[in-house]
Amino acid sequence: MVSRDKHVAVLMGGFSSERPVSLSSGKACADELERFGYRVTRIDVTHDVANQLAEVKPDVAFNALHGPYGEDGTIQGVLEFMQIPYTHSGVLATAVAMDKELSKRLAKTHGIAVAESKVMDRFDITSAHPMKPPYVVKPVAEGSSFGVVIVKEGQSHPPQVITSDEWKYGDRVMVERYIHGRELTCAVMGDVALGVTEIIPQGQEFYDFDSKYAAGGSNHECPAKISPFVYQKITNMALKAHKAFGCRGVTRSDFRYDDRFSEEGEVIWLEINTQPGMTATSLVPELAAYAGHSFGELLHWMVEDASCLR
């Protein structure tokens, strides 16, 4: 039975490009935690977050922040200094996972299949392709598919938006081989893989921001209709990544599966999300439900799992 005296501060909003998503995740989590019996305070995080937390004095901080400052080790460091137990992964795991270059190096070191890539200054991508198309250009430290550009086979020149004034995602970008095929994802809760979902974008080229968060933006097939061999391969890789990064709580690893030439095909790990979304269209709550955990039970587990020194 949940103690109604346990006070949970749900950290949401913040000031990254993913603020709207964080507000949605935070509201959903705060509402459900209240229904589950916790005393909840909602905190729209500002640069004065230490004073916000000091005033509220929570027993646990439920981290519903997304993007820079929320899932890159920054807020985790604040919570460590203040000795407030918190959910999800700790300082080092989140910092490494948020940096696409470092995360791919670590994954590859542990035998996890990744796509060939290089990190460049965006201003070096001018008249010549940095890699034979098709390829993907993405910011090194952003989430929710912000700034992802796909360069198709046969395209005559690199995308101009990368070097334009419209670009607002930093000067370091990753150029990565484009992987044909299906979008798959696997959630891990503690040391258990919950299952594999196939994401089928509706009306979009890939699983972009609108596909992730807009109603009807994508269909989720849970469990994914893939061979038992590929299913097991993906759950094993997700668990391996979770442990290799030193993650805690809940994570979600994303994959591409190219089955054009054989059923076994090519399975490529893309990234690990240490702060997966918790909105109405989010994947982790769906996978938790498939594994037998209601949304409230999932959040309850996360709150009770919270600690410092993660």
Side-chain angles (χ1 to χ4, degrees), residues 55-310:
E55 183 177 341
V56 169
K57 296 182 176 63
D59 299 309
V60 171
F62 189 100
N63 185 6
L65 294 167
H66 298 306
Y69 303 100
E71 56 181 312
D72 61 0
T74 304
I75 191 65
Q76 292 81 3
V78 172
L79 294 165
E80 292 285 3
F81 266 107
M82 298 185 72
Q83 295 187 306
I84 300 172
Y86 58 95
T87 60
H88 298 83
S89 297
V91 176
L92 182 58
T94 51
V96 173
M98 190 67 175
D99 187 299
K100 290 180 174 63
E101 181 182 19
L102 292 177
S103 64
K104 286 186 72 172
R105 285 184 185 177
L106 180 59
K108 188 175 182 179
T109 298
H110 283 81
I112 298 168
V114 299
E116 299 86 345
S117 64
K118 60 175 75 175
V119 173
M120 305 177 62
D121 187 293
R122 68 185 179 103
F123 294 108
D124 291 336
I125 304 174
T126 54
S127 58
H129 285 298
M131 179 183 291
K132 183 181 178 181
Y135 60 86
V136 181
V137 183
K138 57 180 75 172
V140 169
E142 280 284 351
S144 290
S145 300
F146 281 113
V148 173
V149 179
I150 295 178
V151 179
K152 297 179 181 179
E153 195 168 358
Q155 189 165 318
S156 60
H157 54 77
Q160 302 303 300
V161 68
I162 303 298
T163 53
S164 74
D165 292 338
E166 299 172 26
W167 186 263
K168 54 184 179 181
Y169 307 110
D171 291 342
R172 287 174 71 237
V173 296
M174 174 173 284
V175 180
E176 180 179 75
R177 175 171 68 93
Y178 176 76
I179 308 299
H180 292 275
R182 299 157 69 176
E183 193 94 26
L184 299 168
T185 195
C186 178
V188 173
M189 178 179 174
D191 57 359
V192 176
L194 298 177
V196 181
T197 291
E198 179 172 5
I199 304 151
I200 306 169
Q202 300 298 297
Q204 303 293 333
E205 188 174 10
F206 74 110
Y207 192 46
D208 63 0
F209 182 85
D210 289 335
S211 299
K212 284 180 167 76
Y213 302 114
S218 61
N219 290 336
H220 300 165
E221 196 165 78
C222 179
K225 293 178 181 176
I226 52 180
S227 74
F229 173 82
V230 174
Y231 199 100
Q232 188 66 49
K233 186 174 185 177
I234 288 171
T235 57
N236 287 345
M237 289 170 72
L239 274 170
K240 185 181 283 189
H242 184 93
K243 294 174 181 177
F245 282 74
C247 292
R248 297 285 298 276
V250 170
T251 63
R252 198 192 79 230
S253 277
D254 297 334
F255 301 84
R256 293 285 283 184
Y257 168 44
D258 186 355
D259 61 347
R260 292 175 299 166
F261 308 113
S262 71
E263 186 178 42
E264 182 176 334
E266 180 184 34
V267 178
I268 294 292
W269 179 90
L270 297 177
E271 64 180 346
I272 189 167
N273 301 278
T274 58
Q275 294 285 135
M278 293 284 181
T279 67
T281 57
S282 291
L283 293 150
V284 169
E286 287 184 351
L287 282 162
Y290 167 70
H293 309 287
S294 70
F295 189 35
E297 289 167 346
L298 170 66
L299 299 180
H300 168 62
W301 180 88
M302 294 171 74
V303 167
E304 298 305 316
D305 177 67
S307 70
C308 293
L309 300 176
R310 298 174 71 79

